[in-house]
Amino acid sequence: MGPAFDRPGAAREVCDAAYRGGLLTETAGPHDEVAKVLPPLTVADGQLEQGRGMLDEAVVSGPADGHSRLERARTRPVTHAPGL
């Protein structure tokens, strides 16, 4: 599960930024438009919140070269599993 982006390449930029911040993600979807989060099978609430913060930061920071910033308004809502 994770955010889907309309702009081509945006999910890859988010995944790269998340990795630099210490969060494991990968692209998914038929056009690699989703930045999929890969949490452990068991995770404490505090760790879950920390991971969400890291993903938020990756969305805001975008690519390492700083030539473009991802727009939150261009993302579709994050899909959360029940109970998370």
Side-chain angles (χ1 to χ4, degrees):
M1 80 188 129
F5 298 88
D6 294 328
R7 185 173 59 75
R12 169 55 40 214
E13 292 174 9
V14 168
C15 288
D16 291 346
Y19 182 78
R20 288 190 305 273
L23 184 65
L24 184 58
T25 60
E26 67 179 11
T27 59
H31 305 287
D32 286 335
E33 74 277 12
V34 176
K36 183 170 72 173
V37 179
L38 303 168
L41 293 176
T42 58
V43 60
D45 288 341
Q47 292 173 317
L48 184 60
E49 290 303 316
Q50 181 182 10
R52 285 181 181 172
M54 293 167 81
L55 182 60
D56 285 345
E57 181 59 33
V59 170
V60 171
S61 66
D65 62 14
H67 284 118
S68 65
R69 295 181 76 78
L70 298 173
E71 303 171 34
R72 287 178 185 263
R74 297 214 35 162
T75 66
R76 288 177 267 175
V78 175
T79 303
H80 295 286
L84 294 180

